[in-house]
Amino acid sequence: MSVPSGGDRGLPAQVTHLVAIGGSDAGISAALRARELDPSVRVTVIVEDEFPNFSICGIPYLVTGEVPTVRGLAHRSRAELLATGMEIESSTRVTTIDPDTRSLQLLRADGNTETIGYDELIIGTGATSFTPPIAGLHGEGALTMNDGVHLLHSMGDAIALLETLESGISRAIIIGAGYIGLEMVEGLHARGIEVALLEQLPEVLPSVDHELGALVNQQIAGRGIAVHTATTVNAITRSIGGESGRLEVAATTAGNGNRTLTADLVLVVAGVRPDTSLASAAGIELGAGGAIAVDREMRTNLPHIFAAGDCATTFHRQLGVTYLPLGTTAHKQGRIAGENALGGHAQFAGSLGSQVLKVFDLVIARTGLRDHEAVSIGAKPLSVSCIADDHKAYYPGARPLSIRITGDRESHRLLGLQIVGALGAEIAKRVDIAATAIFHQMRVEEMSELDLTYTPPLGSPWDAVQIAAQAWSRAANASDSGS
């Protein structure tokens, strides 16, 4: 990617109007940072819907009822955003970016169009739901939310899903057993709905190793939820008559042949793709995963245009440039873009893919690399599994943590950590320790040297992550002795 030279970027004093396209994590973070640094700069955020700065990650908890209203998902109210001095253009879509004139063509909800100018532009258009190649989801006559088939990635999607749920349904099928799919299993189950979960890969939650995914599978199946892994969905159709449900899902399970499942609702959550059509049409280069190619200052190949969040590539501290859409990353990238659009040179320090998920009473977290990812960068990974209690066994309520730790056989640097265990067992905290260690390129053995907190109700003199590190060191030494 060719990045504009400093002379093409403009001086801070020349920036009078900064525009951010997209009002989710990246766009709002950019606007807030710009207003913080220079309140004299006019900052406009263009939002395609009526929900600026809403938490998409919170949608499953809206479904469970733990968050009682849609407005409860707002990070900040509209009034709070406007109080910072930013301007918000809601229900407005950008149809064209003209980099030569530094202008945008807008389409209002009432059908009117308008052209506005910008000095610096930040694209934060996010991602869109991936629709897998399933008959019934594409082409003429494709099933929609009105038929009970839903995607789930925007506030509009969430509102439509709630309307379907409130109409009264008894059976649902979820296609996709990633993070959102698993969270929605819990959400629908909490509403008393019979749920079936379908996943094309051999195990649920493919972002962790198979043995840990199996623990998640057990948790779900133990709630009476039907889990069908290694299952390819071929078609979704409207059922004809009968009481078997409004929709039929035809699927093939490896080793078990074809089957047909029926439901009132089908939720398709098979991942996301970066929303880059607007940027691409303007001549902005795309990179990994089809996302907008940016450098670590969030600059695109065109002068005066930045991109951040789920529409942009990510610098991963271990893998290099990749596509890894995460809310935490979007917030950081947006803040950097907002600063640099005013003439700064902040850099995105990089992601490690740190993630955590709650499924019923189980928590799953990971950071860094798994074996196949480590191999892809030329490392020689050794992964070791162990089980360690979350606190001293003599104190009531100690619970086992299933840990998978990965290090490099030659350098002994920590490469990754995955943990599955009970809710309340400080799992996120422990993975955060590993994320910090990986960030600073620590060796596995150095984990045991960390001065971590201890009290019997909450931990042990050797924390669970340190016990895992010691298990890895023993395995590495045994491997060296045997070679």
Side-chain angles (χ1 to χ4, degrees), residues 326-340:
L326 292 170
T328 50
T329 298
H331 280 279
K332 294 182 182 77
Q333 289 184 338
R335 182 177 173 86
I336 289 165
E339 179 170 338
N340 293 343

Side-chain angles (χ1 to χ4, degrees), residues 337-380:
E339 179 170 338
N340 293 343
L342 299 189
H345 292 281
Q347 289 199 346
F348 177 54
S351 169
L352 291 171
S354 303
Q355 303 168 59
V356 63
L357 168 71
K358 183 187 87 71
V359 181
F360 294 108
D361 296 327
L362 205 64
V363 174
I364 310 97
R366 64 159 290 186
T367 189
L369 306 181
R370 296 161 61 196
D371 281 3
H372 68 281
E373 296 166 323
V375 169
S376 74
I377 61 168
K380 295 183 178 179

Side-chain angles (χ1 to χ4, degrees), residues 46 98 130 132 167 197 202 211 215 246 257 271 289 331 337 381 390 450 454 459 467 476:
I46 302 172
D98 187 337
F130 171 64
S167 69
L197 177 65
E211 64 187 75
L215 298 176
R246 295 194 298 121
H331 280 279
D390 70 318
L450 294 175
Y454 159 61
I467 292 171

Side-chain angles (χ1 to χ4, degrees), residues 10-34:
L11 299 173
Q14 296 174 309
V15 180
T16 59
H17 191 197
L18 169 64
V19 176
I21 304 174
S24 192
D25 297 339
I28 295 296
S29 291
L32 289 171
R33 181 58 172 162

Side-chain angles (χ1 to χ4, degrees), residues 49-410:
D49 58 22
E50 281 290 331
F51 302 99
N53 209 203
F54 273 64
S55 173
I56 303 302
C57 298
I59 290 175
Y61 312 110
L62 188 65
V63 172
T64 64
E66 293 167 285
V67 178
T69 67
V70 170
R71 293 291 168 186
L73 293 183
H75 293 301
R76 299 170 185 81
S77 69
R78 178 181 291 269
E80 289 172 327
L81 293 173
L82 294 175
T84 69
M86 71 174 70
E87 301 172 18
I88 300 175
E89 297 280 359
S90 300
S91 298
T92 300
R93 183 163 63 90
V94 179
T95 58
T96 307
I97 300 171
D98 187 337
D100 295 328
T101 61
R102 281 196 255 176
S103 64
L104 307 173
Q105 187 76 21
L106 308 184
L107 177 63
R108 308 286 187 184
D110 60 8
N112 291 325
T113 61
E114 181 183 350
T115 299
I116 67 169
Y118 65 84
D119 293 307
E120 302 291 327
L121 177 67
I122 298 170
I123 301 174
T125 46
T128 58
S129 296
F130 171 64
T131 306
I134 298 171
L137 296 184
H138 299 272
E140 186 176 353
L143 299 173
T144 67
M145 63 183 69
N146 294 327
D147 302 299
V149 177
H150 290 259
L151 304 176
L152 189 62
H153 192 67
S154 69
M155 293 309 302
D157 294 339
I159 292 169
L161 176 61
L162 286 176
E163 290 175 351
T164 297
L165 293 174
E166 289 164 3
S167 69
I169 67 169
S170 60
R171 267 186 275 187
I173 293 172
I174 298 175
I175 300 174
Y179 277 70
I180 299 299
L182 293 176
E183 289 174 332
M184 289 307 301
V185 164
E186 181 176 356
L188 296 178
H189 181 78
R191 298 178 74 104
I193 296 169
E194 180 183 335
V195 183
L197 177 65
L198 279 59
E199 169 58 47
Q200 188 171 19
L201 295 174
E203 192 51 87
V204 302
L205 197 59
S207 58
V208 299
D209 285 350
H210 189 280
E211 64 187 75
L212 299 182
L215 298 176
V216 183
N217 195 327
Q218 292 171 16
Q219 172 81 190
I220 298 169
R223 304 277 176 157
I225 293 162
V227 181
H228 304 280
T229 54
T231 297
T232 300
V233 177
N234 303 312
I236 305 173
T237 57
R238 298 184 188 89
S239 59
I240 302 174
E243 298 180 358
S244 59
R246 295 194 298 121
L247 296 163
E248 294 184 350
V249 176
T252 303
T253 300
N256 289 321
N258 299 326
R259 69 178 71 208
T260 299
L261 304 174
T262 59
D264 308 302
L265 165 73
V266 174
L267 181 62
V268 182
V269 280
V272 299
R273 298 293 184 270
D275 187 353
T276 59
S277 57
L278 182 66
S280 180
I284 296 171
E285 291 180 6
L286 305 184
I292 298 171
V294 293
D295 64 9
R296 291 176 64 182
E297 293 188 359
M298 312 315 300
R299 303 179 191 275
T300 70
N301 63 300
L302 297 185
H304 310 290
I305 300 181
F306 300 75
D310 290 359
C311 65
T313 57
T314 300
F315 170 68
H316 191 288
R317 292 182 68 87
Q318 296 165 296
L319 296 172
V321 177
T322 186
Y323 178 61
L324 185 59
L326 292 170
T328 50
T329 298
H331 280 279
K332 294 182 182 77
Q333 289 184 338
R335 182 177 173 86
I336 289 165
E339 179 170 338
N340 293 343
L342 299 189
H345 292 281
Q347 289 199 346
F348 177 54
S351 169
L352 291 171
S354 303
Q355 303 168 59
V356 63
L357 168 71
K358 183 187 87 71
V359 181
F360 294 108
D361 296 327
L362 205 64
V363 174
I364 310 97
R366 64 159 290 186
T367 189
L369 306 181
R370 296 161 61 196
D371 281 3
H372 68 281
E373 296 166 323
V375 169
S376 74
I377 61 168
K380 295 183 178 179
L382 171 66
S383 291
V384 174
S385 298
C386 76
I387 295 177
D389 287 339
D390 70 318
H391 64 254
K392 287 299 295 182
Y394 61 71
Y395 187 89
R399 294 162 293 185
L401 305 180
S402 296
I403 306 175
R404 183 91 166 148
I405 183 169
T406 302
D408 184 74
R409 292 177 184 270
E410 294 186 347

